[in-house]
Amino acid sequence: MSGRILIVDDVATNRIVYRARLAAAFYEPVLACDGESGLALALAERPDLILLDIGLPDISGYEVLRRLRGDPRLRDIPVIALTAARDSETRLKAFSAGADDVIVKPASDQVLLARVRNLLRTRAEIVFSDAELQPAGLAEAAATFEPSATVAVVTGQAEVARQLQADLAGQLRDRLVVLSRAQALAEAAAAQGAEVPDVFIIHDEDGDAGSSLRLVSELKSNLATRHSAVCVVGRAAEGEEAAIAFDLGADDVVAPHVTATELALRTRSLLRRKRQGDRTRARIEDNLRLAMIDPLTGLHNRRYAAQALTAIAARAVERGRDLAVMVVDLDRFKVVNDQHGHAAGDAVLAEVARRLRANLREGDLLARIGGEEFLAVLPDSATPEARRVAERLCAALDARPIRLPSGLGLTVTVSIGVAVSALAEGMPLSVDALVEQADLALLESKGAGRNQVTYRKSAA
């Protein structure tokens, strides 16, 4: 793993030591000696992570954190706050200001590097920040309202469960549930997409760090729970076990004597990162979907259709089954736009797509490949079946008028060109030639008066 890490510390010796440690682990260190220069470097270098000393000479580390979290360009960068103070007040102020973790100096190399790996891995899963997924100048503001989340306390000790619930109930507005380890594993085994807790807080039972580590591994390796945040409370937060927990995927590890206030702040921080990841994954999924879907009709687009047709044709060859391709074109569509406007044209296209889809089989492919042109692919279809489907499509369009936004009813017809492979007869298949034959058949339908179907036997 590699990444650019900004070290903000006013003590030159500390900067040199951290730089050596990180460079030895193949990270790229960037150094700053005070808060203002750290903020300037953060903006210029856009580091993947920041190590921030709380006691800076010009402005406090808390102010640096607040300014980082207030800048849309920098707010998603993970920050590990470093402090020599061991009091809980310092930790609480750092978490309240936006730190992702607080580590007391001198930090264990093993634990510090494991935490760095952990936060960088989480950031790497979020490929783009919210701002980067928006066109320039159109970045969304930070969410001002978040729905209630579900926080699961995982323990088999009833007294511990009651205490944790009581401690957190007054500080989190989220729903708190108590699960045994077996129930937590059942959540991990749930089908992907099932509703699972947003955060698991795993409490060591009888100081059994190994059991907690195994549960972390199970939760992070299952599809249903891999994006849930996991926090381990207990012995697993100490020494070598803490480094192992981070490397297994734990999002936080906390010593058993943590205060309720600090645990609540850590939980809120986990929820913030988890929601950020959820938003980004949803955004990426939407973008991928839009790359394959025509937004007007909801059908697949030309790019998707080309790849899907190749795959369908390959399966047809393997099975020796016939394949039908249809090119469907609206008749005189330019007149619709010219006489009734483009809003009417869009309404016509959307309704035509709906009727075509309704009259194809579930396994058939339908795509919009041009302005008013559609492609239908019918696997396992010889000429008789293709004929019945094509004639049904023509009839579905001609049967009743399409209602325009103005309220006017408009009768629309389509011309169809059909090409059918002859694999069952041992003839070769060329996808390009098959589509070309369907196009030629469509031209014949247009030339013969429109609102009809023309067939070609083979693409060979």
Side-chain angles (χ1 to χ4, degrees):
M1 182 180 291
S2 62
R4 181 176 300 166
I5 299 178
L6 173 60
I7 302 165
V8 186
D9 197 309
D10 63 316
V11 179
T13 304
N14 290 343
R15 295 197 300 272
I16 293 169
V17 170
Y18 289 132
R19 179 175 63 185
R21 291 176 181 175
L22 294 169
F26 302 100
Y27 296 109
E28 179 186 346
V30 179
L31 308 183
C33 62
D34 56 40
E36 291 292 355
S37 61
L39 288 167
L41 277 172
L43 193 58
E45 299 289 340
R46 304 295 175 89
D48 299 292
L49 184 141
I50 299 174
L51 293 181
L52 173 66
D53 185 62
I54 293 298
L56 298 173
D58 54 346
I59 57 175
S60 72
Y62 309 121
E63 177 61 21
V64 173
L65 279 165
R66 282 189 284 270
R67 286 164 65 174
L68 286 170
R69 296 305 179 223
D71 190 328
R73 299 165 295 181
L74 305 175
R75 66 184 175 210
D76 295 330
I77 299 174
V79 180
I80 298 176
L82 302 170
T83 177
R86 295 180 177 273
D87 60 289
S88 60
E89 182 181 354
T90 298
R91 300 169 65 82
L92 293 178
K93 286 181 66 176
F95 281 118
S96 297
D100 291 280
D101 202 355
V102 181
I103 295 180
V104 176
K105 298 186 294 185
S108 159
D109 283 1
Q110 186 179 25
V111 175
L112 177 62
L113 289 174
R115 188 52 161 149
V116 167
R117 288 193 297 269
N118 169 269
L119 289 170
L120 288 179
R121 182 168 57 245
T122 302
R123 181 170 171 78
E125 291 172 355
I126 303 171
V127 183
F128 302 108
S129 71
D130 287 345
E132 288 169 328
L133 282 172
Q134 290 288 337
L138 298 178
E140 293 181 353
T144 56
F145 171 78
E146 295 286 0
S148 177
T150 299
V151 178
V153 175
V154 182
T155 179
Q157 300 175 350
E159 183 58 36
V160 170
R162 283 193 294 271
Q163 187 62 54
L164 282 172
Q165 274 193 305
D167 289 344
L168 294 174
Q171 305 196 53
L172 295 176
R173 64 181 181 84
D174 304 291
R175 186 169 71 98
L176 292 169
V177 298
V178 176
L179 301 177
S180 67
R181 290 174 184 255
Q183 289 170 326
L185 288 172
E187 296 283 358
Q192 186 178 12
E195 185 175 349
V196 298
D198 298 280
V199 177
F200 289 91
I201 298 176
I202 302 172
H203 188 273
D204 280 350
E205 296 181 4
D206 300 323
D208 184 3
S211 176
S212 295
L213 295 178
R214 287 191 293 274
L215 182 54
V216 170
S217 180
E218 288 289 342
L219 292 173
K220 285 299 187 178
S221 63
N222 278 274
L223 291 176
T225 54
R226 65 179 177 177
H227 296 308
S228 298
V230 177
C231 174
V232 180
V233 179
R235 282 188 56 198
E238 300 171 345
E240 181 182 349
E241 284 83 1
I244 295 172
F246 283 131
D247 283 336
L248 286 173
D251 299 278
D252 202 357
V253 293
V254 187
H257 50 74
V258 64
T259 66
T261 302
E262 181 177 335
L263 184 57
L265 285 171
R266 286 177 177 271
T267 301
R268 286 200 286 269
S269 177
L270 293 176
L271 282 170
R272 175 177 59 82
R273 291 208 307 269
K274 198 261 183 184
R275 285 163 171 158
Q276 176 196 354
D278 289 345
R279 285 194 301 268
T280 304
R281 280 187 293 273
R283 209 80 155 286
I284 292 171
E285 288 174 3
D286 285 344
N287 287 346
L288 290 173
R289 180 181 58 81
L290 290 173
M292 298 184 295
I293 299 296
D294 170 55
L296 175 62
T297 63
L299 301 178
H300 290 298
N301 59 20
R302 176 184 287 272
R303 177 186 297 178
Y304 177 89
Q307 297 176 349
L309 177 54
T310 299
I312 293 170
R315 288 196 297 270
V317 171
E318 290 176 2
R319 300 169 60 186
R321 305 292 295 272
D322 288 333
L323 171 69
V325 170
M326 300 180 184
V327 179
V328 183
D329 191 86
L330 272 69
D331 295 328
R332 298 184 175 89
F333 181 68
K334 185 177 183 300
V335 176
V336 176
N337 281 328
D338 290 346
Q339 293 185 357
H340 303 281
H342 288 283
D346 288 348
V348 168
L349 287 169
E351 177 60 16
V352 167
R354 190 195 67 78
R355 294 189 192 183
L356 293 176
R357 178 71 273 173
N359 285 278
L360 291 171
R361 302 168 302 183
E362 184 176 349
D364 296 336
L365 169 68
L366 179 64
R368 182 186 178 197
I369 59 173
E372 64 268 25
E373 192 171 60
F374 301 84
L375 177 75
V377 181
L378 283 61
D380 300 333
S381 296
T383 300
E385 175 65 18
R387 186 183 301 276
R388 285 192 295 272
V389 173
E391 291 174 356
R392 185 166 68 239
L393 295 179
C394 276
L397 268 299
D398 198 23
R400 64 184 189 280
I402 293 175
R403 187 67 57 188
L404 302 182
S406 65
L408 179 69
L410 185 66
T411 298
V412 175
T413 63
V414 294
S415 298
I416 303 178
V418 182
V420 181
S421 68
L423 291 171
E425 300 173 13
M427 300 184 68
L429 172 63
S430 164
V431 170
D432 291 340
L434 190 62
V435 174
E436 182 181 359
Q437 290 290 327
D439 275 328
L440 292 174
L442 172 65
L443 291 176
E444 292 180 22
S445 292
K446 292 284 190 182
R450 299 180 174 83
N451 192 23
Q452 57 186 283
V453 184
T454 302
Y455 304 89
R456 292 284 181 119
K457 176 63 177 177
S458 173

